[in-house]
């Protein structure tokens, strides 16, 4: 799902990924590096992406109170722990697709 936050692009992947093992977020992010880094390259480089493209992988949660886990991937094989614009894009994609129900006045 391609979305943006004030013009900053992000691609949100909500399905089709292989099982990403690991009990905590950091270990799962490490698993996204080689050999799974080919997925990031496919989604972020030409002809499907461009230099400021980001991708966000929405995964099953690792914490019992979480609805989802999100791994952010940026260019140059960078997997940051947090990105404000990427989280806004993920929230928008999850709400717009109905994966998270919209509940007034909170969403």
């Amino acid at each position: 799902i391609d979305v943006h936050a004030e013009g900053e692009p992000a691609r949100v992947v909500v399905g089709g990924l292989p099982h990403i093992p690991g009990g905590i977020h950091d270990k799962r992010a490490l698993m996204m590096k080689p050999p799974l880094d080919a997925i990031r390259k496919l989604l972020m480089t030409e002809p499907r992406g461009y230099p400021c493209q980001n991708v966000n992988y929405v995964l099953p949660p690792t914490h019992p109170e979480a609805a989802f886990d999100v791994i952010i991937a940026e260019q140059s094989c960078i997997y940051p722990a947090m990105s404000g614009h990427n989280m806004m894009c993920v929230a928008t994609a999850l709400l717009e697709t109905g994966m998270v129900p919209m509940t007034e006045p909170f969403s």
Side-chain angles (χ1 to χ4, degrees):
I1 303 166
D2 287 345
V3 292
H4 73 89
E6 294 295 324
E8 289 288 330
R11 190 160 279 160
V12 181
V13 179
V14 296
L17 293 169
H19 172 70
I20 310 298
I24 61 171
H25 179 274
D26 292 345
K27 288 185 180 180
R28 291 177 106 183
L30 285 174
M31 291 301 298
M32 291 306 298
K33 293 186 178 184
L36 296 178
D37 194 54
I39 298 169
R40 180 191 63 82
K41 290 178 184 175
L42 176 75
L43 294 170
M44 294 177 64
T45 57
E46 293 289 348
R48 294 164 198 88
Y50 52 97
C52 63
Q53 183 75 53
N54 297 305
V55 65
N56 302 278
Y57 305 110
V58 178
L59 304 171
T62 56
H63 190 280
E65 294 181 24
F68 299 98
D69 192 5
V70 177
I71 296 176
I72 304 163
E74 296 180 350
Q75 296 288 348
S76 302
C77 200
I78 298 171
Y79 291 84
M82 179 57 185
S83 168
H85 106 270
N86 280 295
M87 288 298 98
M88 286 187 270
C89 290
V90 168
T92 298
L94 295 177
L95 286 166
E96 292 291 329
T97 60
M99 292 177 71
V100 171
M102 289 193 198
T103 307
E104 293 295 334
F106 303 107
S107 55

